[in-house]
């Protein structure tokens, strides 16, 4: 009897160890998927600049900015798909219909847009010709559809496929474009055509994998339900589109404001500081959020509050370790890191000053991934839209006033307050959501405050010690 119990215990321990190892590998793969963006930022973009020249590269930068902007404007389809496919009670047929309906909505939107976009390009053909614009529309459409499939795979915990498809797609798209520009034709036409072609291939491979995972045994009767589900998704996604639009506006229009009311010379160090400071969110925190979102959704859709509380705590601990602590370290060593990054550029001093203000706010903003995920799990989309719009309007108006007064430092303070206020407001909303037992978020909020205070105290103490002894 004792031997049987001992064998059962060993088997249970072995399964737990294997599960822990698998989760670690899954999270590591999500970081690998982000390596493609780092590869592009550090290596490929400077090459594009050198090969295309400043004028053509300016258009490329505009295309890439618009690409990132439009990924926010998908009517919330990627978020809804990621949430709905992770719910425990969702059937195989419902998952498949939701994914296909989201694809249909995106495709219809881009099909409706292509003619007016081409017409506007014909009237204003200074930057791109109609063929190049058509290729851009295909590029943006395929990337949006691929992003929906990516979220579907993540929701089904297929992290290996999702990570490899994302990283391989980004590297292949920009790597093949670089080869084509270097050896065939260093033109905008070559750039957009290769980008669009590779993104379509990536989308098709992602769709093939999603079809394998999500397609039920009998798919024929499901076609009748697609239109009904598409209408439902469109209605659900409208608040999320407003949320995405306001988020994209607040993160991009600050540069336009600085350029409009000050000068491009004033923009350069602010732009560099903003990109430097947002690294913890885009590279360090995002994979943790992608890893935990399906787990939070599934936990909160179950009646077991203990599992929900434990999952939220795990999410908070991990995002502190993987993103908040590195952000604190970046703040401590910002001056030598920025000097190394900019190769001793004269702008390094200003970038360091701006980063010293922006980083603390962004550090608090890192913790905002936890309440955001909880609100998505609760489908509290209208609040997210209204809160985001209000924060965007206040932030941009304050930034405009600061720019009129010629103070970039004040704009940095405003954006630090934006990131921290967004996090605090989202946590407050989570604590208020007590319907259905979601009050467990209060324990997560307390844990986030406790860990955040510890990191702040530790960082300020380390900075005081370093300053006293002249370490850096």
């Amino acid at each position: 009897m004792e031997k049987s119990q001992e064998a059962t215990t060993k088997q249970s321990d072995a399964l737990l160890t294997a599960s822990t190892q698998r989760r670690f590998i899954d999270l590591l793969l999500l970081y690998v998927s982000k390596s493609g963006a780092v590869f592009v930022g550090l290596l490929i973009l400077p090459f594009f600049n050198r090969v295309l020249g400043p004028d053509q590269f300016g258009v490329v930068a505009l295309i890439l900015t618009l690409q990132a902007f439009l990924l926010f404007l998908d009517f919330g389809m990627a978020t809804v798909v990621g949430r709905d496919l992770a719910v425990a009670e969702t059937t195989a047929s419902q998952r498949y219909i939701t994914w296909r309906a989201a694809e249909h909505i995106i495709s219809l939107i881009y099909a409706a847009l292509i003619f007016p976009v081409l017409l506007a390009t014909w009237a204003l053909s200074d930057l791109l010709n109609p063929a190049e614009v058509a290729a851009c529309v295909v590029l943006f459409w395929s990337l949006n559809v691929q992003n929906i499939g990516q979220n579907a795979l993540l929701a089904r915990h297929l992290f290996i496929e999702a990570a490899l498809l994302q990283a391989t797609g980004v590297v292949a798209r920009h790597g093949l474009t670089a080869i084509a520009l270097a050896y065939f034709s260093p033109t905008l036409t070559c750039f957009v055509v290769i980008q669009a072609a590779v993104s379509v291939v990536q989308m098709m491979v992602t769709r093939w994998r999603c079809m394998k995972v999500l397609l039920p045994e009998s798919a024929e009767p499901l076609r009748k339900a697609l239109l009904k589900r598409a209408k439902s998704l469109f209605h659900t996604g409208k608040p999320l589109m407003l949320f995405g639009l306001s988020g994209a506006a607040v993160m991009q229009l600050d540069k336009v404001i600085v350029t409009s009311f000050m000068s491009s010379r004033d923009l350069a160090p602010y732009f560099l500081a903003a990109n430097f400071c947002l690294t913890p969110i885009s590279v360090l925190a995002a994979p943790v959020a992608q890893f935990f979102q399906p787990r939070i959704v599934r936990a909160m859709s179950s009646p077991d509050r203990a599992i929900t509380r434990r999952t939220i705590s795990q999410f908070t601990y991990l995002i502190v370790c993987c993103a908040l602590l590195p952000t604190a370290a970046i703040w401590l060593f910002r001056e030598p890191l920025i000097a190394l990054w900019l190769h001793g550029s004269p702008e390094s001093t200003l970038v360091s000053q701006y980063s010293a203000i922006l980083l603390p706010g962004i550090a608090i903003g890192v913790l905002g991934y936890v309440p955001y995920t909880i609100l998505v799990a609760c489908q509290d989309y209208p609040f997210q839209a209204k809160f985001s719009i209000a924060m965007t309007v206040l932030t941009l108006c304050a930034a405009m006033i600061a720019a009129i007064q010629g103070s970039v430092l004040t704009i940095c303070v405003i954006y630090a307050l934006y990131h921290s206020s967004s996090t605090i407001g989202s946590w407050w909303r989570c604590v208020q959501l007590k319907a259905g037992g979601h009050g467990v978020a209060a324990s997560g909020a307390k844990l986030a405050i406790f860990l955040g205070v510890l990191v702040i105290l530790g960082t300020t103490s380390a900075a005081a010690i370093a300053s006293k002894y002249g370490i850096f």
Side-chain angles (χ1 to χ4, degrees):
M1 186 69 176
E2 291 180 359
K3 290 183 178 180
S4 176
Q5 290 179 345
E6 184 179 351
T8 302
T9 302
K10 287 182 178 180
Q11 185 179 9
S12 177
D13 291 342
L15 289 173
L16 182 61
T17 302
S19 176
T20 303
Q21 290 175 346
R22 177 58 188 267
R23 290 180 180 181
F24 175 78
I25 292 172
D26 289 340
L27 182 58
L28 184 62
L29 285 169
L30 288 175
Y31 275 103
V32 169
S33 71
K34 290 293 180 182
S35 64
V38 176
F39 170 76
V40 171
L42 294 179
L43 299 178
I44 298 296
L45 288 183
F47 176 79
F48 287 166
N49 185 26
R50 188 167 60 253
V51 171
L52 292 170
D55 293 334
Q56 289 193 113
F57 181 73
V59 181
V60 167
L62 179 63
I63 292 171
L64 295 177
T65 300
L66 188 59
Q67 171 188 309
F69 185 82
L70 289 175
L71 282 176
F72 282 98
L73 303 182
D74 63 349
F75 278 87
M77 290 301 103
T79 300
V80 173
V81 166
R83 188 263 170 203
D84 287 6
L85 268 64
V87 175
E89 297 84 23
T90 306
T91 65
S93 298
Q94 290 171 335
R95 289 193 290 266
Y96 175 78
I97 290 172
T98 298
W99 166 61
R100 290 299 308 279
E103 283 193 336
H104 278 57
I105 289 173
I106 292 298
S107 298
L108 286 172
I109 290 171
Y110 275 89
L113 284 176
I114 189 164
F115 179 73
V117 168
L118 287 174
L119 189 63
T121 306
W122 176 77
L124 302 169
S125 57
D126 294 335
L127 297 178
L128 297 169
N129 61 48
E132 291 167 345
V133 172
C136 287
V137 173
V138 172
L139 169 65
F140 301 151
W141 163 74
S142 58
L143 287 175
N144 269 282
V145 174
Q146 194 275 335
N147 193 44
I148 290 172
Q150 176 86 2
N151 277 32
L153 294 175
L154 290 172
R156 303 310 301 158
H157 292 195
L158 298 173
F159 298 106
I160 294 177
E161 290 90 339
L164 291 178
L165 284 168
Q166 180 70 11
T168 304
V170 172
V171 174
R173 187 165 70 250
H174 292 291
L176 291 175
T177 302
I179 293 172
L181 292 175
Y183 293 100
F184 294 98
S185 176
T187 60
L188 282 174
T189 301
C190 181
F191 175 86
V192 294
V193 167
I194 299 298
Q195 288 270 310
V198 179
S199 68
V200 168
V201 172
Q202 182 188 9
M203 177 203 70
M204 291 174 64
V205 174
T206 303
R207 288 194 78 254
W208 170 81
R209 186 55 187 149
C210 287
M211 193 71 73
K212 287 282 188 181
V213 172
L214 300 174
L215 184 65
E217 293 182 2
S218 177
E220 193 66 29
L222 302 178
R223 295 176 183 175
K224 298 179 181 180
L226 273 176
L227 180 60
K228 183 178 179 181
R229 183 56 177 151
K231 291 180 179 178
S232 173
L233 281 180
F234 187 83
H235 178 73
T236 303
K238 283 192 291 186
L240 284 174
M241 183 184 179
L242 293 175
F243 174 75
L245 177 61
S246 59
V250 78
M251 297 306 295
Q252 299 297 332
L253 292 184
D254 55 330
K255 287 86 174 175
V256 177
I257 288 172
V258 171
T259 305
S260 300
F261 292 96
M262 299 177 70
S263 69
S264 57
R265 180 172 296 181
D266 294 312
L267 174 64
Y270 175 73
F271 179 81
L272 291 169
N275 280 272
F276 175 79
C277 295
L278 286 172
T279 299
I281 286 182
S282 59
V283 177
L284 300 176
V288 178
Q290 288 179 325
F291 178 79
F292 269 97
Q293 180 166 326
R295 285 173 166 76
I296 294 288
V297 171
R298 182 161 296 190
M300 296 192 73
S301 63
S302 72
D304 193 339
R305 296 297 97 192
I307 292 177
T308 305
R309 186 177 289 105
R310 183 169 63 249
T311 307
I312 292 173
S313 297
Q314 291 172 348
F315 188 6
T316 306
Y317 276 119
L318 199 57
I319 209 162
V320 166
C321 293
C322 294
L324 185 57
L325 286 175
T327 304
I330 291 171
W331 184 84
L332 278 173
F333 296 98
R334 63 189 179 278
E335 292 184 3
L337 286 174
I338 290 171
L340 180 65
W341 179 45
L342 298 179
H343 305 288
S345 169
E347 296 176 330
S348 298
T349 302
L350 272 179
V351 173
S352 297
Q353 290 178 6
Y354 298 158
S355 299
I357 299 171
L358 286 169
L359 273 172
I362 289 174
I364 298 174
V366 163
L367 294 173
Y369 271 110
V370 182
Y372 167 77
T373 305
I374 294 172
L375 293 176
V376 168
C378 297
Q379 293 184 289
D380 194 29
Y381 305 136
F383 167 80
Q384 288 179 293
K386 293 174 184 176
F387 181 62
S388 180
I389 290 171
M391 290 295 301
T392 297
V393 171
L394 288 173
T395 302
L396 292 179
C397 288
M400 190 178 300
I401 294 171
I404 291 172
Q405 295 176 345
S407 177
V408 177
L409 281 174
T410 305
I411 295 176
C412 292
V413 172
I414 290 166
Y415 269 82
L417 290 173
Y418 163 76
H419 288 289
S420 55
S421 299
S422 297
T423 298
I424 294 168
S426 297
W427 271 119
W428 175 84
R429 177 63 175 178
C430 288
V431 173
Q432 301 305 309
L433 288 176
K434 296 182 179 179
H438 293 156
V440 294
S443 62
K446 293 175 183 176
L447 179 61
I449 292 171
F450 174 72
L451 295 175
V453 170
L454 281 182
V455 172
I456 291 171
L457 291 176
T459 305
T460 53
S461 299
I465 294 170
S467 177
K468 181 178 179 179
Y469 293 99
I471 297 175
F472 51 83

